[in-house]
Amino acid sequence: MKIVDIRESTRPIRSDIRNAYIDFSKMTLSLVAVVTDVVRDGRPVIGYGFNSNGRYGQGGLIRERFLPRLLEADPASLIDETGQNLDPHKIWNRMMINEKPGGHGERSVAVGTLDMAVWDAVAKIAGKPLYQLLAERYGTGTPNPRVFVYAAGGYYYPGKGLDGLCAEMSSYLERGYSVVKMKIGGATLAEDCARIEAVLKILGPGQQLAVDANGRFDTDTAVAYARALSDYPLFWYEEAGDPLDYALQARLAEVYEGSMATGENLFSMQDARNLIRYGGMRPDRDWLQFDCALSYGLVEYLRTLDMLRENGWSPARCIPHGGHQMSLAIAAGLGLGGNESYPDLFQPYGGFPDGVKVRDGYVDLPPLPGIGFEGKADLIAEMRTLAS
């Protein structure tokens, strides 16, 4: 048993949208295929992975550092103790040979992309959905394939006024979402309050709105927004300031009694631990958004979950960023609080397997081997072009 090839391609996921910090007109991601010599149903097992939106493709790092390390390794050194499957932890350690501590930037995205493909292959070799495999190895033994999802959107777009914003949010509610999210910080506070109030008016019973500043604010602006947002029944106030400004986050906890959310731009267990130690986050109401596809993958995410438990946090307070099926599988297998979803953006990489519908804010994951990419026709078609 061995990895016989690893392929990478940089793919566009461009859009004319923008948040408070960046636009997505030149956004890319890396798509990878990990080809093994294991045969199932007459075909070699291939694991697929890609990185989440917002950090661009990582082809250079993958091709120059991480891919060669794996292909040059003794195949036996990457196999688990049973001899019947790959070992994601050994593979992760091999990728990180000669990498110094710290510097959790673009390399964490490259490793996370490959790690996703490895776990997809491991679950396929085992003949199980990844969420089942994770529940058996690291969870309670029994997964819960019913996962909460919320609809992320509400981006700034040329010519998009309040009517367009409300029409977008209404479309998500009509598709079964109970929580929708919109961007703030790309306009004035008064303009953003008007946008928030317009969306709140269209919400029905049991429906909520979250807002996301994408790290735009300094402390004074973040606090000013917090005081204004306190007037609204929001699901959460997300990433007000720079993700590494833990003092700013702690200051918000002093003035904002509602739920806060952050963590999507923290790319290691160590950075996540600093947020918990110094960021004032409250385990009874706040949400953590660490995204395995950007932060060294599931191997590192397991360490992050262990750290959270040691600090009194439940995995149920984690709702990852990214809107991809890998985090859905982790949520179902390890008891996370849910997952982000982009109903109309970053396709074909986001979303759910074909036929899966959102009902009352939840989706039910089908029992597909691996992460479940084969259940999404447009996505698996693109993946197979890379592997063929």
Side-chain angles (χ1 to χ4, degrees):
M1 173 182 296
K2 62 181 180 180
I3 296 171
V4 297
D5 197 10
I6 302 173
R7 301 168 190 173
E8 184 277 339
S9 176
T10 301
R11 303 294 175 94
I13 51 170
R14 68 171 301 278
S15 176
D16 292 329
I17 59 174
R18 68 176 179 87
N19 60 33
Y21 229 106
I22 65 170
D23 70 64
F24 291 78
S25 59
K26 297 183 179 179
M27 187 59 58
T28 61
L29 57 70
S30 280
L31 176 64
V32 300
V34 171
V35 184
T36 76
D37 66 351
V38 179
V39 175
R40 293 286 184 271
D41 299 323
R43 303 176 67 173
V45 171
I46 302 174
Y48 297 103
F50 54 88
N51 62 275
S52 298
N53 65 82
R55 287 288 160 174
Y56 302 97
Q58 302 297 316
L61 290 176
I62 291 172
R63 292 189 297 270
E64 293 172 13
R65 280 166 39 198
F66 301 110
L67 187 156
R69 288 172 188 164
L70 292 181
L71 294 181
E72 292 167 3
D74 178 356
S77 70
L78 307 180
I79 305 303
D80 68 15
E81 64 278 2
T82 71
Q84 302 300 310
N85 210 326
L86 301 171
D87 188 319
H89 299 270
K90 292 179 180 179
I91 290 171
W92 193 95
N93 290 337
R94 176 67 187 183
M95 284 194 283
M96 290 297 289
I97 284 178
N98 287 333
E99 297 287 332
K100 293 177 67 176
H104 309 297
E106 300 297 281
R107 80 174 180 194
S108 67
V109 183
V111 173
T113 302
L114 288 164
D115 177 271
M116 183 188 295
V118 168
W119 282 101
D120 188 38
V122 166
K124 287 173 179 173
I125 291 170
K128 299 177 180 180
L130 178 59
Y131 62 76
Q132 178 71 46
L133 183 141
L134 294 180
E136 293 172 357
R137 291 190 181 185
Y138 309 105
T140 64
T142 303
N144 181 4
R146 189 168 188 259
V147 179
F148 165 75
V149 290
Y150 73 89
Y155 288 83
Y156 298 96
Y157 188 87
K160 180 180 180 181
L162 294 182
D163 289 344
L165 175 62
C166 290
E168 177 193 355
M169 295 293 149
S170 293
S171 76
Y172 301 152
L173 299 171
E174 291 165 0
R175 281 178 263 184
Y177 292 94
S178 60
V179 176
V180 295
K181 187 174 81 175
M182 58 174 277
K183 301 300 182 181
I184 59 173
T188 67
L189 175 55
E191 290 171 326
D192 277 336
C193 285
R195 295 170 69 245
I196 290 169
E197 290 169 9
V199 175
L200 289 175
K201 289 177 181 177
I202 68 172
L203 299 182
Q207 298 174 340
Q208 288 187 274
L209 171 66
V211 297
D212 180 4
N214 289 106
R216 184 66 188 181
F217 303 145
D218 59 21
T219 300
D220 289 343
T221 306
V223 168
Y225 264 79
R227 297 191 191 281
L229 297 179
S230 295
D231 293 335
Y232 307 122
L234 298 177
F235 190 71
W236 70 45
Y237 173 22
E238 178 179 340
E239 203 171 43
D242 187 282
L244 294 177
D245 192 342
Y246 305 122
L248 181 155
Q249 196 69 42
R251 173 65 178 138
L252 285 185
E254 298 173 358
V255 299
Y256 188 70
E257 293 186 359
S259 296
M260 303 185 299
T262 193
E264 71 178 65
N265 289 303
L266 300 179
F267 297 156
S268 68
M269 182 279 288
Q270 292 84 356
D271 283 341
R273 184 174 60 196
N274 280 337
L275 173 67
I276 299 305
R277 284 175 171 173
Y278 308 117
M281 299 293 283
R282 303 155 300 187
D284 65 322
R285 75 194 76 172
D286 294 334
W287 300 94
L288 304 172
Q289 300 170 301
F290 315 123
D291 180 351
C292 71
L294 300 179
S295 53
Y296 293 109
L298 175 56
V299 170
E300 180 79 349
Y301 201 88
L302 290 168
R303 287 192 278 263
T304 298
L305 291 178
D306 287 342
M307 176 275 295
L308 292 176
R309 293 186 188 95
E310 292 167 2
N311 285 275
W313 282 77
S314 167
R317 302 309 298 179
C318 296
I319 299 182
H321 160 272
H324 48 77
Q325 289 173 256
M326 179 67 169
S327 286
L328 278 171
I330 298 173
L334 300 181
L336 306 190
N339 196 40
E340 187 171 31
S341 172
Y342 297 99
D344 299 321
L345 297 170
F346 312 125
Q347 295 300 323
Y349 298 94
F352 320 115
D354 299 337
V356 172
K357 303 295 184 184
V358 182
R359 293 183 174 86
D360 299 322
Y362 287 78
V363 293
D364 292 291
L365 302 186
L368 299 169
I371 296 173
F373 296 136
E374 282 74 9
K376 194 170 188 294
D378 56 354
L379 177 56
I380 194 60
E382 187 153 335
M383 289 174 161
R384 284 173 174 160
T385 62
L386 176 62
S388 62

